[in-house]
Amino acid sequence: MDRNEEIITLLKMYNQHHIIKLLDKLNEKQKQNLLEQISNIDLHQVMELYDNTKKEIEIKENKIESIQYLDKEKLTKMEQDKFRELGEKVIVSAQYAVVTMAGGQGTRLGHTGPKGTFKLDVYGKGKYLFEILAENLKEANKKYNTIIPWYIMTSKENNDETQEFLEKNNYFGYEKKHVMLFKQGELPLIDENGKLLIGNNLKIKEASNGNGGVFASLRTSGMLSDMKERGIKWVFIGGVDNAILKMVDVILLGMAICKNVQIASKSVVKANAHEKVGVFCKMNGHPKVIEYSELPEKMAEEVDDNGELKFSESHIMCNLFTIEAIEKISKEPLIYHSAFKKNSYIDENCKEIIPDKPNSYKFEAFIFDSFELFDDIAILRGKREDDFAPVKNKEGVDSPKTAKELYEKYWERQK
Ligand code: UTP
């Protein structure tokens, strides 16, 4: 059996007859392109993900407990000095790298183009999100007399545009040889009947596999090896869309080293018991971020002896990992979550169908699902006004308007 026949057999096995029919209608070049793409897709995995969407969610007897954290505000002078000293040592000895995850689609913001190219209307002139991140890193470089390697995760879809934008803007003054772009993984979109969607370009429609894909992509793209060659020991991984994200927090780093853990995360306290955010907890003895929808109402409202919410620490995509932790996670299978979304496709007659309601599943892994692979992580409670100015929605909460206000107020206080 030749390679093409093997692929056709697989397509039959996984009930993808619509693709076989389509192949008959394509010219040789189109046919080879499509077959080549399919040969790189793990059909077994995709069908397993699809089957999971049909399964009832298993109600396990999960033991959910609150998790320990330290409040940055309440650290003693001695603790602060100790953490700072430990953290600074890593940074000045060039053992620290930063990863920015910029492979998202930013659908809620509705900006055309990669999210990092969005200009936040600050101080009249405005600053791009990538510019804000570059400025923050440059400031840390100056402070610690080093150059922190900056890895940027893009998607297949937005990689070229991101690269062009950064080139055009001269990497916002960051030394080009220390900025590395790498692409994240993708997974096919699949319809309600388990059929892979075909796009206008006569290829299987794929979408980014979520920010949890960062670990495997770091390894397969060679970035993890690059980090090792540079002698990196700790890696900060954050999003592109928090205008006051602290990518180089020596207290967070020092705390992780002092506690001898492989992961540290910054949290901010929940605005109220029912705020729709994921919160840290321990589930069956392992650290975890539990979605608001999965936290029983009674638990969400529970308070401790000091009258504070027991499940109060929300995850703000501000995480630190040892290089060993990244390596370990990158080799574990990811937990995928599915979202049912609207996606256009072409039918067997090559006619484009634009659905008016959700028609297909997108699979995404979340970065915080990696926490449960460890016995413990260190959590540092930051302050919303110092650490969290997200740009998520076009309007209302977590929008450019709220982020601009938070950004300007934050920098006003630093004067
Ligand atoms: P979000 O989950 O908020 O997604 O990403 P998003 O793509 O920015 O926005 P919506 O949901 O489509 O409106 C949090 C961070 O993770 C990155 C994003 O770029 C952002 O920095 N991300 C998300 C990726 O890098 N890849 C992904 O596949 C998803």
Side-chain angles (χ1 to χ4, degrees):
M1 217 187 315
D2 75 7
R3 204 165 125 85
N4 288 357
E5 282 169 34
E6 270 173 35
I7 299 171
I8 306 272
T9 310
L10 272 177
L11 288 171
K12 280 186 191 153
M13 192 165 122
Y14 290 109
N15 220 6
Q16 304 297 323
H17 297 92
H18 64 302
I19 301 178
I20 301 173
K21 278 192 199 154
L22 177 74
L23 282 167
D24 283 342
K25 298 195 176 105
L26 303 182
N27 67 36
E28 200 47 37
K29 185 153 186 283
Q30 291 167 330
K31 196 169 158 179
Q32 285 316 319
N33 282 344
L34 182 53
L35 286 167
E36 165 71 23
Q37 185 197 12
I38 297 170
S39 71
N40 289 314
I41 293 175
D42 182 346
L43 286 175
H44 179 74
Q45 181 202 22
V46 181
M47 292 323 289
E48 217 169 61
L49 292 174
Y50 167 72
D51 288 342
N52 286 344
T53 66
K54 304 286 159 212
K55 283 188 195 143
E56 291 281 308
I57 294 174
E58 233 179 290
I59 316 254
K60 273 200 260 152
E61 274 301 307
N62 285 319
K63 188 165 162 230
I64 305 172
E65 296 165 292
S66 60
I67 196 163
Q68 288 196 333
Y69 62 87
L70 284 183
D71 188 337
K72 198 171 179 181
E73 277 280 282
K74 294 184 185 155
L75 295 179
T76 62
K77 167 97 177 43
M78 231 170 82
E79 280 171 322
Q80 279 186 34
D81 291 346
K82 191 169 160 200
F83 293 167
R84 188 172 296 114
E85 192 193 327
L86 286 168
E88 280 183 3
K89 222 163 118 186
V90 172
I91 315 266
V92 297
S93 51
Q95 295 174 341
Y96 191 82
V98 164
V99 174
T100 296
M101 298 183 297
Q105 290 177 304
T107 41
R108 288 169 286 170
L109 184 62
H111 164 66
T112 48
K115 215 178 198 182
T117 68
F118 179 78
K119 202 175 207 179
L120 198 62
D121 165 36
V122 288
Y123 299 132
K125 208 166 137 255
K127 283 177 200 275
Y128 298 105
L129 290 177
F130 275 134
E131 182 176 5
I132 290 175
L133 295 176
E135 279 181 355
N136 290 357
L137 283 179
K138 280 193 296 180
E139 196 187 276
N141 287 343
K142 206 162 131 199
K143 187 165 173 189
Y144 300 111
N145 190 25
T146 186
I147 299 179
I148 297 170
W150 186 18
Y151 300 84
I152 300 176
M153 181 168 83
T154 61
S155 64
K156 228 181 197 174
E157 216 181 341
N158 75 16
N159 183 73
D160 292 355
E161 213 178 326
T162 304
Q163 175 106 46
E164 275 159 31
F165 176 82
L166 291 171
E167 284 280 342
K168 199 174 117 203
N169 289 287
N170 196 25
Y171 293 79
F172 296 104
Y174 217 84
E175 241 186 280
K176 192 177 157 180
K177 68 170 190 242
H178 296 294
V179 185
M180 279 71 56
L181 267 62
F182 67 103
K183 287 185 216 162
Q184 75 172 107
E186 295 197 310
L187 279 172
L189 297 166
I190 196 154
D191 79 6
E192 278 164 294
N193 304 312
K195 307 269 184 231
L196 299 171
L197 296 192
I198 313 279
N200 249 336
N201 58 357
L202 302 172
K203 289 205 157 181
I204 307 282
K205 269 203 142 173
E206 294 187 87
S208 297
N209 63 352
N211 53 47
V214 66
F215 306 102
S217 306
L218 276 171
R219 185 162 56 79
T220 53
S221 64
M223 295 297 147
L224 194 59
S225 304
D226 184 80
M227 286 175 180
K228 286 183 192 164
E229 271 162 35
R230 289 171 190 252
I232 301 297
K233 299 251 182 319
W234 283 92
V235 184
F236 177 90
I237 308 185
V240 71
D241 52 7
N242 173 359
I244 53 172
L245 178 66
K246 304 275 168 310
M247 294 175 284
V248 191
D249 184 336
V250 286
I251 302 282
L252 180 68
L253 177 56
M255 174 186 166
I257 298 167
C258 188
K259 285 184 172 284
N260 197 21
V261 289
Q262 299 212 51
I263 301 179
S265 189
K266 178 91 67 73
S267 65
V268 300
V269 72
K270 246 168 126 172
N272 59 64
H274 296 291
E275 192 189 2
K276 291 186 171 168
V277 290
V279 287
F280 285 96
C281 70
K282 274 217 158 173
M283 193 184 274
N284 307 324
H286 290 272
K288 185 173 170 74
V289 172
I290 185 164
E291 290 288 354
Y292 63 90
S293 51
E294 292 168 21
L295 185 67
E297 195 174 326
K298 218 174 123 231
M299 280 188 163
E301 291 168 357
E302 224 175 317
V303 288
D304 62 16
D305 294 342
N306 303 319
E308 281 210 51
L309 289 173
K310 266 191 163 176
F311 298 94
S312 56
E313 304 312 300
S314 43
H315 176 256
I316 57 165
M317 204 63 89
C318 179
N319 299 307
L320 264 178
F321 298 83
T322 61
I323 198 101
E324 291 84 15
I326 294 180
E327 176 114 50
K328 172 184 157 102
I329 304 165
S330 76
K331 292 175 178 163
E332 295 281 342
L334 294 171
I335 303 166
Y336 281 105
H337 304 255
S338 64
F340 199 47
K341 298 200 170 189
K342 262 196 266 184
N343 282 295
S344 63
Y345 61 99
I346 59 156
D347 67 10
E348 284 164 19
N349 301 313
C350 296
K351 185 170 168 264
E352 188 176 27
I353 311 287
I354 301 174
D356 52 14
K357 56 180 197 323
N359 63 324
S360 48
Y361 294 100
K362 176 176 194 272
F363 302 102
E364 278 192 294
F366 298 151
I367 191 165
F368 51 68
D369 281 334
S370 63
F371 299 164
E372 57 191 271
L373 297 171
F374 298 81
D375 290 335
D376 215 353
I377 64 173
I379 299 170
L380 184 68
R381 178 192 279 186
K383 267 165 115 184
R384 209 169 260 261
E385 61 270 35
D386 287 346
D387 292 293
F388 197 43
V391 183
K392 295 283 179 196
N393 305 309
K394 207 174 170 62
E395 278 157 4
V397 288
D398 300 343
S399 63
K401 188 163 176 278
T402 55
K404 165 198 161 72
E405 276 167 24
L406 286 161
Y407 179 92
E408 289 181 346
K409 275 191 193 147
Y410 173 79
W411 286 106
E412 193 56 41
R413 288 200 303 280
Q414 307 310 309
K415 278 183 189 162

